[in-house]
């Protein structure tokens, strides 16, 4: 496995692979890898001749006061995990390889970047889309792999690809969970035991609403309310939002239908948790 730190070098390697007819799968990450990331890498490994994983904690997508400085960076372990999964190249750039002093241009995500996650995290999706565009240009993948857990991010990346006619297929991968339902996240490491035991309640609330949908309830506002009410018995979870939206437009549908996303965000002792379920698709 190559570990590449230079932007130019990763681009040259990717261009050489593509010129030789090899397809390339890219898995962008911020490191601190868990089984969720691993599932993306495994899928990329199955579907491409070459696999590139990137590890870059992107400062642009952190708001002031967020956890940029303390974000976990277990780089040796991450490299071992990626090696074990048969990745061809890890792109692990320093800051100046992505944002040299001369860097000026950013991707404006448009109105979808301002709602839900974007409302609580101003500038977050501008940072995400800027780094994703750069990583796509550097690694030149045929396919890029993203987790359904970050549903709004996935939708915005798809929009970026459509708007700029980027020659890449975006592959969404199902959310990997702990046995008690908590979606895996590098940030779960911040949870102390009491908070850790409360954390699955977010998924539990979303699931209850998804079950109500299965039982025939189709009013989006009523389904959102159900999830909010399920959370109201857990005062330690501070609600940010619960929103039901169309998976392609981020709009609330007139009537809930299969494929719609019911997403939620809470704060738990200052730690932000997000999760979502896809209506009609969840194993309940
Ligand atoms: P991150 O390192 O948090 O930027 O995540 C890198 C990629 O892994 C993103 O596409 C995430 O959506 C995805 N991801 C994070 N957590 C999970 C999970 N529990 N299951 C599946 N994919 C995930």
């Amino acid at each position: 496995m190559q570990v590449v730190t230079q932007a130019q070098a990763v681009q040259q390697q990717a261009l050489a692979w593509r010129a030789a007819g090899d397809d390339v799968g890219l898995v962008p990450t911020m490191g601190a890898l868990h089984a969720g990331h691993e599932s993306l890498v495994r899928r990329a490994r199955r579907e491409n001749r070459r696999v590139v994983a990137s590890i870059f904690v992107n400062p642009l997508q952190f708001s002031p006061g967020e956890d940029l400085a303390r974000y976990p960076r277990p780089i040796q372990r991450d490299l071992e995990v990626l090696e074990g999964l048969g990745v061809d190249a890890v792109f692990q750039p320093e800051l100046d390889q992505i944002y040299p002093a001369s860097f000026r241009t950013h991707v404006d995500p448009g109105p979808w970047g301002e709602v839900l996650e974007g409302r609580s995290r101003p500038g977050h999706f501008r940072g995400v889309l800027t780094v994703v565009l750069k990583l796509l240009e550097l690694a030149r993948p045929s396919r890029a792999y993203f987790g359904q857990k970050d549903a709004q991010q996935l939708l915005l990346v798809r929009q970026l690809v459509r708007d700029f006619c980027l020659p890449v297929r975006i592959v969404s991968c199902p959310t990997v969970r702990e046995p008690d339902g908590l979606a895996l996240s590098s940030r779960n490491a911040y949870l102390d035991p009491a908070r850790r035991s409360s954390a699955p309640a977010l998924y539990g609330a979303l699931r209850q609403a998804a079950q109500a949908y299965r039982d025939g309830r189709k009013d989006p506002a009523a389904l959102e309310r159900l999830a909010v009410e399920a959370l109201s018995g857990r005062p330690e979870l501070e609600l940010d939002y619960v929103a039901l939206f169309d998976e392609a437009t981020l709009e609330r549908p007139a009537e809930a239908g299969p494929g719609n996303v019911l997403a939620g965000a809470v704060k738990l002792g200052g730690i932000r948790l997000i999760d979502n379920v896809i209506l009609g698709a969840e194993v309940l």
Side-chain angles (χ1 to χ4, degrees):
M1 182 178 77
Q2 306 176 42
V3 179
V4 185
T5 58
Q6 303 296 299
Q8 214 191 348
V10 81
Q11 194 179 53
Q12 274 168 6
Q13 176 62 86
L15 287 170
W17 280 333
R18 295 302 299 272
D22 293 353
D23 50 359
V24 174
L26 172 68
V27 183
T29 82
M30 298 205 300
L33 301 180
H34 51 63
H37 299 114
E38 289 175 31
S39 74
L40 272 57
V41 174
R42 281 202 187 90
R43 172 115 187 238
R45 183 65 287 166
R46 283 201 302 275
E47 296 181 350
N48 302 274
R49 173 97 175 85
R50 306 287 183 178
V51 175
V52 179
S54 62
I55 298 178
F56 179 63
V57 182
N58 176 32
L60 225 57
Q61 70 190 67
F62 287 74
S63 305
E66 285 189 348
D67 54 344
L68 174 62
R70 68 167 176 150
Y71 198 84
R73 291 169 172 84
I75 186 66
Q76 275 321 317
R77 189 189 166 272
D78 286 350
L79 293 178
E80 282 162 26
V81 168
L82 294 172
E83 174 110 64
L85 292 170
V87 164
D88 295 282
V90 178
F91 179 45
Q92 193 219 335
E94 294 290 341
L95 189 62
D96 68 347
Q97 290 299 305
I98 302 296
Y99 306 120
S102 60
F103 191 87
R104 296 286 178 274
T105 312
H106 298 81
V107 178
D108 176 349
W112 291 353
E114 307 295 322
V115 297
L116 306 178
E117 284 305 287
R119 180 142 53 172
S120 297
R121 308 184 70 190
H124 173 67
F125 289 116
R126 177 180 190 259
V128 168
L129 294 190
T130 299
V131 82
V132 167
L133 178 60
K134 183 131 195 182
L135 292 169
L136 292 173
E137 280 304 300
L138 292 175
R140 300 293 171 109
S142 333
R143 300 178 192 83
Y145 296 81
F146 292 86
Q148 176 62 38
K149 176 179 167 258
D150 298 284
Q152 190 178 1
Q153 167 174 289
L154 183 62
L155 185 146
L156 282 162
V157 168
R158 288 192 192 284
Q159 182 71 30
L160 171 79
V161 165
R162 272 198 301 276
D163 284 344
F164 291 98
C165 307
L166 304 177
V168 60
R169 179 183 291 266
I170 301 302
V171 181
S172 75
C173 302
T175 302
V176 177
R177 301 178 180 283
E178 300 279 6
D180 64 5
L182 177 63
L184 295 186
S185 162
S186 308
R187 290 188 166 101
N188 291 349
Y190 302 148
L191 297 167
D192 64 26
R195 289 181 180 129
R196 172 64 189 80
S197 67
S198 298
L202 173 59
Y203 179 54
L206 298 173
R207 250 177 33 160
Q208 271 187 41
Q211 184 62 56
Y213 166 79
R214 289 202 164 197
D215 294 342
R217 307 231 358 217
K218 298 284 159 27
D219 174 20
L223 292 170
E224 289 170 359
R225 252 193 329 270
L226 253 173
V228 171
E229 278 161 19
L231 284 167
S232 64
R234 315 290 302 231
E236 70 277 25
L237 298 182
E238 191 190 318
L239 180 70
D240 183 349
Y241 63 80
V242 169
L244 195 153
F245 57 82
D246 179 286
E247 64 286 11
T249 65
L250 209 57
E251 277 162 18
R252 185 199 260 176
E255 191 172 82
N260 288 167
V261 177
L262 181 66
V266 297
K267 269 198 162 178
L268 183 51
I271 296 149
R272 199 181 154 73
L273 303 176
I274 63 170
D275 204 344
N276 64 78
V277 296
I278 301 177
L279 297 186
E282 290 291 310
V283 183
L284 296 169

